[in-house]
Amino acid sequence: ACLMELLVLVHRAYRATEREDASRPASRERPVPEKLAPVLAYIDTHLEDDLTLRSLSVRFFLSVSTLCALFRETTGAGLHEYVTFRRISKARELLLRGASVGDACTASGFNDYANFIRTFRRLVGVSPGRFRKGEWVVHSSKGAHRELSKPEG
């Protein structure tokens, strides 16, 4: 499961319980706003493009403040954070399919290799090279420390 999708679902569930009283069913969860749906679809299909708040607001005829507010309300994250999670998710998929680290970096929209390595390690808990080799079994996840090793077999 994509980490960002999970975070969106957790955020929605949290907001639903925060705002609703016990008598209102959770199934009445608010859908993605009509104005934001095409933006999310565009992001998913154009991860390698320039996906700044300004460029998306111009493309979708929304003010920067409206787009920012819609994004945070719907996903629970800012635009940059969401794009970063989606790019890392795509890179993970590519690495699992055997792509090189450099190819995964470029195809997922990162323009700076060092930034890709640093961001991947921060979000996934292991470098892209180790992830690609299958060295990403988590033995302990107490706090921020994770002990990783190559899976047996």
Side-chain angles (χ1 to χ4, degrees):
C2 173
L3 177 61
M4 191 62 207
E5 291 168 9
L6 179 60
L7 289 173
V8 168
L9 291 174
V10 168
H11 176 73
R12 284 183 181 168
Y14 174 77
R15 291 191 64 100
T17 57
E18 183 181 71
R19 291 184 178 169
E20 298 173 356
D21 60 349
S23 64
R24 187 171 172 192
S27 63
R28 298 173 90 183
E29 188 176 291
R30 187 175 151 182
V32 173
E34 191 176 313
K35 290 180 179 181
L36 191 58
V39 178
L40 294 173
Y42 180 83
I43 289 170
D44 284 344
T45 57
H46 293 86
L47 287 172
E48 66 283 352
D49 294 347
D50 178 33
L51 298 173
T52 62
L53 195 54
R54 179 163 304 286
S55 69
L56 291 172
S57 67
V58 168
R59 175 174 289 281
F60 292 97
F61 306 103
L62 296 167
S63 72
V64 170
S65 60
T66 299
L67 181 58
C68 189
L70 279 173
F71 222 92
R72 189 154 306 275
E73 176 72 23
T74 304
T75 66
L79 175 72
H80 178 73
E81 183 180 13
Y82 179 82
V83 169
T84 300
F85 277 122
R86 294 297 299 136
R87 285 178 172 164
I88 292 297
S89 177
K90 182 175 182 178
R92 287 178 59 175
E93 291 172 21
L94 293 168
L95 291 168
L96 288 173
R97 285 193 241 142
S100 71
V101 174
D103 289 344
C105 170
T106 304
S108 59
F110 284 90
N111 297 322
D112 181 281
Y113 187 77
N115 181 47
F116 168 68
I117 301 293
R118 196 171 35 253
T119 303
F120 192 97
R121 187 183 322 242
R122 180 174 49 87
L123 296 178
V124 178
V126 65
S127 71
R130 288 184 69 188
F131 183 86
R132 183 175 182 265
K133 292 175 187 173
E135 298 176 6
W136 45 273
V137 175
V138 179
H139 294 288
S140 173
S141 60
K142 292 182 180 181
H145 175 71
R146 292 184 185 154
E147 190 177 321
L148 303 168
S149 70
K150 189 170 187 161
E152 295 181 28

